[in-house]
Each structure stands twice: as structure tokens, then as C-alpha cells.
Amino acid sequence: MPVLTEDRRDIITPPPVLPGHGGGGGSGDSRAFPVSKYQIALWIVLTTIVMLFAGLTSAYIVLRGVPAWQNIELPSMLWPNTVVLFLSSIAIEFSRRAVRKNHLQAMKTWLALSGILGLGFIGGQIAAWRQLVNAGVYLPSTLQSSFFYLLTGLHGLHLMGGIVALSFVFYRALSNRLTAFNHEPLKLCATYWHVMDALWIYLFLLLLLS
Amino acid sequence: MDDAHAAEHHHPQLGFWRKYVFSTDHKIIGIQYLITAMAMAIVGGLLSMLMRYQLAWPTSLSPIMAKIFPVAFSGGIMEPGFYISLVTMHGTIMVFFLFTAVLTGGFGNFLIPLQIGARDMAFPFLNALSYWVFLLSCIVIFSALFVTSGAPMGGWTAYAPLSAVPQAAPGQATGMTLWITAIALFTASGLMGGLNYVTTILTMRTRGMSMMRLPLTQWSLLITAILGLLAFPVLLAAGILLLFDRMGGTSFFLPAGIIMNQMPLAGHAGGHPLLWQHLFWFFGHPEVYIVILPAMGMASDILSTFCRKPIFSYRMMVYSMVAIAALSFVVWGHHMFVSGMSPFLGSVFTLTTLLIAVPSAIKTFNWLGTVWGARIRFTAAGLFALGFVSLFVSGGISGIFLGTSAADIQLQDTYFIVAHFHLVMAIAPLFAAFGGLYFWFPKMFGRFMNETLGKLHFWLSFTGVYAVFFPMHVLGIGGQMRRIYDPTQYMFLVPQQPVNVFISIAAFILGASQLIFLFNFFGSIFGGRRVTEYNPWHATTLEWSVPSPPGHGNFGVELPTVHRWAFDFAVPGEKEDFIPQTVPATVQAKH
Amino acid sequence: MADGNGPGRVTLSGVVLAFLILILILASLYLFIAKPYWFPTLASVHGESIDSLFGVVLIVSGIAFVVVQGLLGFFIARYGQNGSERAAYWHDNPRAEAILLIGTAVILTVLVFMGQRVWASFYFTDAPADALVVQVTGEQFAWNFHYPGPDGAFGRTDNSLITATNTIGLDRNDPPAKDDILVIGQMHMVADRPVKVRLRSKDVIHSFFLPNLRVKQDAVPGMGIEIWFVPNKSGAYEIACAELCGLGHYRMKGALTIDASQADFDNWYKEQLAQQ
């Protein structure tokens, strides 16, 4: 029988959970590191997302210079949609400020609003795609249309990931597990959300200013 | 032991499946990675044996081969398409599914919490998930070998348009799609792992384990993980663009006017094949450092242990790894000197490439400095660490020829390149991995591997790898191109065909001698001599302060406290010739 | 375990490993000095500067190789452990490191500059006006050579005109094209006369490789890449493809003839003209 882990040591009691830094840093080991592991994990995730879009951006910039490049008319839906996403970012920020002052009801309301606006943005993006299709502009039509569908699609997917995270946070909020001193999930979700908003504005400008 | 009984209620006995298969324990996950990567190594190695058979005797009929592979060897001679599929799959499997997986996935997972003094990774469930996604990616790439239209044929580098147009070659249809899928899954697995490693090493070091007290293995794993997090998403971006070109009718890499199989490829315009190369190599060059850096870290620690002497200039070893990692992002164009890229860029990349040789040279001097004045214990692990140094020197020096862009004109896409990257990216890391396996096997399984067989394995392998790969430099100088199914088609290559035969025979012997290792490894898991002490090698790092194998939670009730760096060997005035990191500083607290 | 300070012991393992490293050094010296197999016969002006650059790098890196591997082998043999000896505890020498670092950087910088001069001589200088211009188009799996006719002008090509015999789609109705020469798999040039090649591809990336001339350039679809060189040794050579391009990559070869004189070339040229 392969001896892989001896059960003799299953009898160890993990050390007691120390009051975490910013709510839950590490698995209970005493940590001198000033940043929680969830925060580090979030920044790493954001870095990889940025690198993904950086790679796509460099492809965009390279191909922007070829003679065969043709600009498409960006669907009008994108303008109001950008406002919607921006408002959802404001909403989640208000939610975070509310929880810091322990206004739990306001936190929940703003959070819900943010989620709804986020979903609204996704719906708006789908509507924008519809606008393009109706104008006869499809994925392979021109280089810029290919990038348009690709970039907005990928951004939308990542935002939907954020919506899923937001719904988990919302569930926690509803079960009253978020307090003024213990609301790291909301903080992290808000950061992710803001970055997704900034990413959208960046992509929109990239498409617009070509 | 009242605590013991109390805790038993906290941790109910896990069943076989939860404990050994679907475990979230980093040690199990690490071993899972190791064994899976070994299986992929066997596949990749067998593919290369077939390649060497073809290269040595390209026109000989073989009824036996025709019997074993009726489709690939129809008529007794290998099909050209089969050959370039072998090349593609061998490279893909080895680079990703063996080397990246075994070093970062296998050793990284097993060692990180142990060496930094943590009970497990920061996110154990995510860790397990990364393994299962990795396994899935292995299954997908393996399945590409059995596709009826052929396994992918674009080389592991998958240059467009060959990879972007399904009808460009038989294997480029379903086979290529499976390739992209497998790589995407592998990327996902790697990113999950990298996230865990960085978070764990940064936030979960035990008390006293400052960054500059980390073993070099840990530094290398941290830096490698950061490299991966920055580089792999760009590969993913490239893969997405490629997928859309293949299936969505887009033209990211496809210009207008392509004629494929006598027919114009309609509907494409504006794309640029070089864009693929830029994106791929922006990832690809950091990737080779993702392979070599953990090897350097591990080899350094193992070397120091068996030299019974501190690693020479630990500080510079750390700085040089950081420098190598940073520079690795600005050298990618040296893969593209003759690609049609602007010659001005070529000049820039020559400068940066030769610059990156400097920190690598520093590391080599430091390894020499470690062996100088040492008292070497020639265990199997120690031998492989020494072999690593020699191989890295050989492989690194051939890189100088290739970095000078003008010389690269003649050598690009020849066997000189093949020799260079095998020595430096495959064989040197392989030796570091072997060293790591012999070294940490007792800690992983509570048994020793057989030392005599281990040494035999080393002598045969060290001789074998040089016999196989050193002559390839000469083949490349003579002009033999890469990925060539039959070199004898060219009159100017026929005179050096004996070298190909020599290499192939050496390769068969080298391949066969790996069976000794496999027999030793798996046999010792079940029947090896049991380890009775925590620290059989008299090493200094934290994993040697716990039982072999460590229990769940790694350390006892209390986590260890670290009082010194990992290299207190042969400290003057000390009773023992080594001081573990956990021993308080009574004599010297210099580090 | 160890408490003494005895000298390093010569051990069997150490000696065997050092011996293997010695064999490595001797084998490499043999391969790179006696040169039983070496570069193909040189046949171009640029090629000479490449070969001599290679030679310089070979000497520098050869010395480094022998010294480093040699030291490694020597230390391995000399510093074994056979009992209770202790290693030396020193593990830092900032001055030595600085010297080695700067020394390495200086040597490599010199190599960079030497290499750049050669690089610039190919890519940052224009072909002379009297160069023979040839349009080379790679395809799966052959090299197509398009010479301008006696009028010295290239005719227009159009992909829609490609047929089995007109592999590059030369528009014979275009006035300059009437006298153009299309040859598959065969290339001629004249010794000591510069040649300018315009490289294209019909399908995937190929690489135009003239081993004897030390010429290599990828042919990329969608790009027209120009290179130039001066052949200087008449004879019959081979052309190869150096970038994996599909099933027939291994047989994508061509025949290169460097004619000893313009007259010889003109003979071939007239022959081809007659066959168009």
C-alpha cells in the first residue's frame, strides 16, 4: 500500500483563527503580511485579464495600420450602455460606502441596483450586437468588426463573471454577513467591478478613436 | 495527547477517494502532477524515438513498423505527414505537459507550503481544480494523436497561416482545433496554479521566513509564477484569434490572396502572419524561462546540500533570477530574425538577447563558486545537480551564436537551434527534475529510491544526452533543417547522414535507460527502503523538519519559526556541518 | 556528522564525472577544430562575413566553454567528501562577481557590435543598381522563379490567373510581361554579380534557404520581402525550404546554378526565353 499521508497527524488541531486583517487573511496562520490573500488573488486575476486584453490590444494596433482596415459604424446603443455601466459602478461604490457606515439596508439596495444595471449592460451589449447584425456587419465583415465582436464579447463574459460574484456577495449581504468591520467580499467585488468598467471605457475609446 | 482526540473530531477520517484522488492536500496534488507529467513524458519520449528512427533510416523499408502502425507506415515507410505530426506533438507535449507541469505543478505544489512553513496553499480547492483541468488538457492533447484526419502538423509553434487554414495540411483540421483547446485548458490550469503560488508565498510564510531567507527553489517558483501570469494570457489571446480565423472567417493572421490547394482562399484580407509570431513568442520566450527557472532554483538548493557548502552569493542568485525574468519579456524577437520582421527590430533584440546572457552567466559562476572548495557527496540527486550545471553551460553557450542575429541567419531553423533548445530547455531542466525526484522522494513517499540504480541512471543519462544532442550542433552547422522528414533528399546533407545514425542509436539507448528510472521510481514507492529519520540528507530547509511523508497540516501543533537562511552548511565552530533553518541563532545570526 | 577540516578527497564518482566532462571537452574541440562536418562550401560575399563572425563567436565561446566545463570537472574531481571533512564556508566575493559580471557584459557587447556590422551590411544597405532582380514565390511545395525579360521590367501578376503552368499568375497581356521568364525549381545567377530577390508566398510561410550563400529569409504570404547578396563561386548548389510548410516541406527543394560568366547565364536565359 503506498504510504502517502500518515493519519497519525490528522490529530493536529489547526491553530485558532486570529482576527484577520481586513477580514480573513490566510487560513488562520498568523500573518504579518499586510494584505489579505483574497486581495492579492484579486489583483492577480485582474493582472491576467489586463494581459489578455493587452495582447488583443497589440493585435488591434498592429492590424489598425494595414491598408485593408475598414472602420465600422459603432452601434448607437454603446453610448447609453456605457452610461449604464458607469452608473452601476457608482452604485456599487455607494454600496461599499454604505456598509462602511453600517447602513446595511442602503448597502443591499445599492448592491442590487448595481447588479441590475450590470445585467442591463449585458442586455445592452446584446442589443448593440443586434444593431450591427441588422446593418449587415458580422464577425468576419471587416477587421474592426471582428475585433468589435471579439472585444465586446470577451469583456461581456468577464463582466458576467463579475455579476456572478456580485450575486454571491448579495446573498451574503441578505444573510447579514456583511458588516462595517467585515465586508471584504464586497470590497473585492467592487474593485473588480470598477476595473471592468474602466476596461469597457478603454475598449470603447479604442474602437472609437480608430 | 488530549489535543489529538479533540482534533480527531474536527477532521473526520477521509475515504480513499477524498484522500488520495480528489484531495485538496498540496502534497497529493503535487504527486498527481508529477505522475501525470511522467506519463506525458513517456508519450512524448516514444514519439521522439519514432522521429529518430525516421531520421536515421529515412528510406529503409520496415515490415515490422508497417505491422505496428499500418496507417502511418503504409508500405513500410513512414508517411511524411505522420512525421511532422510526431514533431508537433513531441514538442507540444514536452514543453507544456511535461516540463511546465512537472517543475511548477509537481515540485511547486509539493514544496511551496512545506518550504515556507505553511499548512497548505492559500486556496486548496482551487489547487485541486488546477490539477483536474490539467489532466483534462492532457487527455485532449493525447486524443489529438488519434484523430483520423491526422494529428496537428504545425510544429509546437503553430505558425499561421499553416495553423490558421484547416486545409493547409491534413492534421490542421480537427487535430489543430484539439491542440488549441488543450493549450487553452492548460493555460487555465496554469493561471490557477500561478495565482495560488504567488498568494501563498507572499502571504503565508511562517514567522521568521523573510523573503531573503527563502530557499532558491521558492524564489524561482515565485518568479516563475509571476512570469506565467503575465505571459500565458497573451498566448490565450493569440489562441482565441487563431480559433476565430479558423472557424469564424476572421482575418487576424490571414492576408488576402492566399491560394491553398490550387484554390483561392476567399473572404480574408488584412491579416498578418507575423502577428501570430509576435504574440506567440511574447509568451514563448518567458515560457522557456518558466521551464528553466525552477530548475535553476532546485538545482541550486540540491547542489548546495550535496556540496555541504552554502550556495555562492545567494543574493546575486536571487537578483539574477529577477533580472532574467524581467529581461525575458524583451527578447522574443530573437526567434524572428529572418521572419520578415523589421531588421531594425532585429538589432534591438540582439542587444537585449545578449544582455540576458549576463545574469545567466552570473548564475553559472556562482554554481562554480559553490563547487569550489566543497565537500561533495555523490548521491544520485547530487550527481544530477552537477550534471545540470554542465548541461546548462553547454546549452547556454550555443545561445550566444544564435543571439548574434547575423550568425542566426545561417543557423535559424536548423539543428543548431534544436541542439540549443534541447540542452537548455529540455535536458538541463530534466536533470534538475531528476535531481529533485531523487532528493525529495523520501519526503514524498517515506521511502528511499535505490541509490545504485539512481547512479546508474545518471551515468547512462549524462553520457546519453551529450551523445544525442551535442552532435546536433554539427548537423545544424552543416545546414540540416528542422522538421525535415528526410534529410537525404538534399545532396549537401547526405555526407552527414552518419551523424544522424549515431544520434538515433544514442537516443534509443538513452530512452531505454530511462526505464531504469521508471522501475526504480515506481518500485520504490511500494518496496523502497523505509525512511526512519526526518532529515536523511542532512539538509537545512523546513520540509526536512517534519516526518517523511509529512502528515496532514504538514507541521505539528505549532508552525515552525525560522531563524536563519537555508544555507548554513559547514559553519565554522559548529558541531554539525549543517544548521537547519529552525535552529535559533546562538552562534551567528548573519542571515 | 562532520567536524574536521580535512582537504577535499578525490573520489571515484568525482573522477568518473570529471573524466566524462573531459571527454566532452575533447570531443567538442575535435568537432570544432578538426571539423569533420562543417558549413557547406561558401559561395557568397556576405557569407564570408557571416562565417568569420561565427568564427569569432566560436573562439570566444569555445574558450568560455572549455574553461567553465574544465573548472567544473576539476572541482568535481578535487573536492569530494570521503569522511568527516568540512567545506569552506566562504560564499560571497562581491569584487570577483563584479569583475566577472562586467567582463561578461563587455565581451558580449563587443560581440553585439561586431554582429551588428555584419547585420547592417545585409539589411541597411541597398542593392547596387546593376543587381540581377528575381522574384521568388514559394508555394506548397515548390519555388517559383520569375525573371524579367530583356526589357528589364516585371510583368503584373494576378492570383486569379494562376494555372498549373502559370504558377504565379503572370498576366501575359500586360506589356512588360510578354518577355518575362517563369521557371520552377531552377535558379541561375552570375558569379560576382549582385542578386536582389523579392520574396513572396502563395499560401503559408516558407523560408528561402541557400545554404552555400548563407542566405535565409522567410517568405510570408501578404508580404513582399527584399534581400540581396553577391554570389562569388560558380557551381551547382541546392535551395531548401527552412520553415515547416506542410506535408511536402521536406521535398521543397530547388537547384541553384551560379554561372561562371554572364555569357553562360545568358545562354541559360535565352533557352528559358525560348520555352516560355
Side-chain angles (χ1 to χ4, degrees), chain B residues 80-81 84 153-155 159-162 168-170 255 257-261 272-274 277 307-313 316 337-340 343-344 346-347 350-351 354 357-358 361-362 364-366 368-369 371-378 383 386 389-390 393-394 397 400-401 404-407 409-414 458-459 462-463 466 470 473-474 477-479 481-486 489-492 495-496 498-499 538 565 568-572 574-577 591, chain C residues 1-3 5-9 11-17 20-21 24 27-28 31-32 37-40 50 53-54 57-58 61-62 64-65 67-69 71-72 75-77 79-82 85-93 96-97 100-101 104-105 108-109 111-112 115-116 118-119 122-124 139-141 159-160 162 202-205 207 209-218 220-223 225 238-247 249-254:
Chain B
I84 49 180
M153 301 178 168
Y159 278 12
L162 184 58
I258 290 182
I259 313 275
M260 198 69 77
N261 299 336
H272 210 312
L274 290 190
Q277 293 182 40
C307 283
R308 311 308 296 163
K309 185 167 174 277
I311 195 79
F312 187 86
S313 194
M316 286 307 285
F337 283 138
V338 300
S339 66
F344 171 70
S347 299
T350 298
L351 184 63
L354 289 186
V358 175
I362 300 276
T364 307
F365 299 140
N366 289 352
L368 276 183
V371 186
W372 189 350
R375 295 297 180 266
I376 307 172
R377 280 192 63 203
F378 289 96
L383 283 167
L386 289 165
V389 179
S390 170
V393 170
S394 304
I397 284 186
I400 298 179
F401 293 88
T404 31
S405 45
I409 294 176
Q410 182 65 5
L411 300 171
Q412 174 63 10
D413 277 308
T414 67
F458 170 77
W459 296 119
F462 189 68
T463 317
Y466 270 121
F470 210 79
H473 295 99
V474 164
I477 289 172
M481 298 79 72
R482 286 177 75 171
R483 301 163 168 172
I484 284 288
Y485 159 79
D486 178 5
Q489 294 275 318
Y490 295 86
M491 294 300 301
F492 77 99
Q496 35 181 54
V499 182
H538 290 204
W565 69 337
D568 266 340
F569 292 103
V571 180
E574 286 295 305
K575 186 164 151 298
E576 299 282 336
D577 80 335
H591 303 278
Chain C
M1 192 188 103
D3 56 4
N5 253 317
R9 299 286 182 93
T11 60
L12 179 62
S13 291
V15 167
V16 174
L17 185 52
L20 285 179
I21 293 179
L24 169 70
S28 60
L31 285 175
F32 287 95
Y37 305 96
W38 202 241
F39 285 107
I50 289 189
L53 176 68
F54 184 90
V57 179
L58 181 62
S61 51
F65 180 79
V67 167
V68 175
Q69 298 277 15
L71 278 178
L72 182 66
F75 293 153
I76 286 173
Y79 293 112
Q81 180 188 75
N82 231 346
E85 303 88 2
R86 212 46 93 90
Y89 187 63
W90 49 262
H91 52 81
D92 266 297
N93 191 335
E97 288 226 74
L100 286 170
L101 191 158
T104 309
L108 290 173
T109 310
L111 285 180
V112 168
Q116 281 312 289
V118 181
W119 184 256
F122 297 157
Y123 289 108
F124 302 138
E139 67 173 282
Q140 288 178 323
F141 299 98
N159 274 352
S160 55
I162 291 180
K202 275 166 73 171
D203 36 38
V204 297
I205 298 180
S207 192
F209 182 31
L210 308 178
N212 301 79
L213 279 69
R214 318 293 187 254
V215 167
K216 186 183 287 126
Q217 177 59 54
D218 282 7
V220 183
M223 287 177 82
I225 301 171
E238 285 171 290
I239 303 170
C241 176
E243 181 61 52
L244 178 61
C245 53
L247 278 185
H249 169 57
Y250 73 99
R251 55 178 166 79
M252 189 166 157
K253 59 180 187 171

Side-chain angles (χ1 to χ4, degrees), chain C residues 137-159:
Chain C
T137 306
E139 67 173 282
Q140 288 178 323
F141 299 98
W143 294 105
N144 301 292
F145 301 99
H146 178 190
Y147 286 83
D151 67 351
F154 284 99
R156 203 179 71 88
T157 56
D158 189 334
N159 274 352

Side-chain angles (χ1 to χ4, degrees), chain B residues 199-547:
Chain B
T199 311
T200 305
I201 294 177
L202 287 182
T203 65
M204 292 175 68
R205 284 165 288 126
T206 190
R207 188 176 18 212
M209 182 61 88
S210 64
M211 292 302 286
M212 291 312 265
R213 285 179 176 172
L214 283 172
L216 284 169
T217 302
Q218 293 303 308
W219 269 110
S220 67
L221 287 166
L222 172 66
I223 295 169
T224 300
I226 295 174
L227 273 184
L229 292 169
L230 294 173
F232 268 100
V234 179
L235 176 67
L236 190 61
I240 293 172
L241 295 175
L242 187 63
L243 211 54
F244 273 89
D245 268 12
R246 292 169 55 80
M247 300 182 146
T250 53
S251 303
F252 298 113
F253 307 120
L254 296 169
I258 290 182
I259 313 275
M260 198 69 77
N261 299 336
Q262 261 69 262
M263 294 211 307
L265 198 67
H268 294 283
H272 210 312
L274 290 190
L275 178 62
W276 167 265
Q277 293 182 40
H278 281 294
L279 290 171
F280 180 85
W281 286 117
F282 183 83
F283 150 79
H285 198 82
E287 163 66 10
V288 314
Y289 290 103
I290 288 171
V291 171
I292 192 69
L293 281 173
M296 288 173 161
M298 283 168 40
S300 301
D301 287 343
I302 297 172
L303 189 69
S304 175
T305 305
F306 290 108
C307 283
R308 311 308 296 163
K309 185 167 174 277
I311 195 79
F312 187 86
S313 194
Y314 169 79
R315 201 162 274 270
M316 286 307 285
M317 287 301 237
V318 173
Y319 295 159
S320 58
M321 282 201 285
V322 174
I324 289 172
L327 284 170
S328 73
F329 280 103
V330 292
V331 299
W332 83 86
H334 67 228
H335 302 268
M336 296 171 63
F337 283 138
V338 300
S339 66
M341 176 179 74
S342 137
F344 171 70
L345 277 182
S347 299
V348 173
F349 281 116
T350 298
L351 184 63
T352 53
T353 301
L354 289 186
L355 216 56
I356 208 174
V358 175
S360 311
I362 300 276
K363 296 190 80 71
T364 307
F365 299 140
N366 289 352
W367 288 316
L368 276 183
T370 307
V371 186
W372 189 350
R375 295 297 180 266
I376 307 172
R377 280 192 63 203
F378 289 96
T379 56
L383 283 167
F384 274 103
L386 289 165
F388 166 86
V389 179
S390 170
L391 290 163
F392 180 75
V393 170
S394 304
I397 284 186
S398 61
I400 298 179
F401 293 88
L402 301 171
T404 31
S405 45
D408 184 66
I409 294 176
Q410 182 65 5
L411 300 171
Q412 174 63 10
D413 277 308
T414 67
Y415 264 72
F416 197 93
I417 302 259
V418 176
H420 167 69
F421 71 67
H422 273 95
L423 281 173
V424 87
M425 178 173 71
I427 304 303
L430 184 66
F431 269 54
F434 280 138
L437 285 171
Y438 285 105
F439 188 58
W440 279 297
F441 189 94
K443 189 56 57 182
M444 289 178 184
F445 299 107
R447 294 175 187 264
F448 285 104
M449 284 179 76
N450 183 296
E451 267 294 303
T452 311
L453 286 180
K455 287 180 182 152
L456 180 62
H457 174 223
F458 170 77
W459 296 119
L460 287 172
S461 300
F462 189 68
T463 317
V465 296
Y466 270 121
V468 171
F469 294 104
F470 210 79
M472 285 190 188
H473 295 99
V474 164
L475 282 181
I477 289 172
Q480 180 169 333
M481 298 79 72
R482 286 177 75 171
R483 301 163 168 172
I484 284 288
Y485 159 79
D486 178 5
T488 61
Q489 294 275 318
Y490 295 86
M491 294 300 301
F492 77 99
L493 293 180
V494 168
Q496 35 181 54
Q497 192 57 14
V499 182
N500 270 316
V501 177
F502 174 84
I503 292 174
S504 292
I505 294 177
F508 296 149
I509 299 174
L510 177 65
S513 60
Q514 303 314 301
L515 294 172
I516 299 175
F517 168 77
L518 289 171
F519 171 73
N520 194 359
F521 184 85
F522 288 102
S524 302
I525 290 180
F526 298 98
R529 179 168 58 96
R530 280 196 189 267
V531 182
T532 49
E533 43 178 331
Y534 286 13
N535 192 0
W537 304 123
H538 290 204
T540 56
T541 43
L542 291 183
E543 74 272 27
W544 301 106
S545 67
V546 294

Side-chain angles (χ1 to χ4, degrees), chain A:
Chain A
M1 242 326 256
V3 177
L4 287 167
T5 44
E6 283 293 277
D7 279 332
R8 299 179 304 230
R9 292 302 185 168
D10 274 355
I11 57 179
I12 308 302
T13 317
V17 178
L18 298 169
H21 307 272
S27 61
D29 303 312
S30 85
R31 288 288 27 90
F33 203 78
V35 185
S36 89
K37 67 178 184 180
Y38 295 104
Q39 199 139 350
I40 302 231
L42 178 68
W43 284 110
I44 291 175
V45 167
L46 289 173
T47 303
T48 59
I49 295 176
V50 165
M51 287 310 290
L52 175 67
F53 282 95
L56 293 172
T57 301
S58 63
Y60 187 92
I61 292 175
V62 164
L63 293 180
R64 175 70 187 84
V66 304
W69 180 274
Q70 267 180 292
N71 275 337
I72 59 168
E73 206 182 300
L74 297 177
S76 57
M77 191 67 207
L78 293 184
W79 294 94
N81 224 16
T82 305
V83 176
V84 167
L85 189 61
F86 187 69
L87 289 175
S88 79
S89 230
I90 294 182
I92 207 172
E93 188 57 29
F94 279 174
S95 175
R96 190 156 78 129
R97 294 201 184 169
V99 78
R100 278 214 287 252
K101 303 193 214 133
N102 225 7
H103 298 160
L104 299 182
Q105 190 48 49
M107 164 194 69
K108 292 174 199 171
T109 312
W110 283 117
L111 197 55
L113 185 61
S114 182
I116 290 168
L117 287 170
L119 282 169
F121 175 83
I122 298 290
Q125 294 293 76
I126 295 175
W129 280 23
R130 275 241 172 89
Q131 280 186 315
L132 268 187
V133 167
N134 287 339
V137 179
Y138 304 93
L139 174 70
S141 299
T142 76
L143 282 171
Q144 198 193 34
S145 74
S146 304
F147 273 110
F148 178 85
Y149 283 103
L150 179 63
L151 293 171
T152 53
L154 273 178
H155 172 265
L157 278 174
H158 284 89
L159 187 70
M160 286 208 272
I163 293 175
V164 169
L166 193 152
S167 41
F168 276 110
V169 175
F170 190 63
Y171 174 73
R172 277 198 175 201
L174 287 181
S175 351
N176 289 318
R177 276 151 63 190
L178 295 179
T179 67
F181 293 109
N182 205 334
H183 60 268
E184 198 183 26
L186 176 54
K187 190 167 81 168
L188 296 174
C189 189
T191 307
Y192 184 85
W193 201 267
H194 292 322
V195 172
M196 284 302 113
D197 190 14
L199 181 61
W200 167 248
I201 293 173
Y202 161 75
L203 291 174
F204 191 24
L205 284 173
L206 184 69
L207 290 164
L208 211 53
L209 298 176
S210 295

Side-chain angles (χ1 to χ4, degrees), chain B residues 28-51:
Chain B
I28 305 285
I29 295 172
I31 292 171
Q32 286 175 321
Y33 265 102
L34 280 176
I35 307 233
T36 309
M38 268 194 241
M40 297 309 279
I42 295 172
V43 174
L46 286 172
L47 297 179
S48 68
M49 295 296 129
L50 286 170
M51 283 163 58

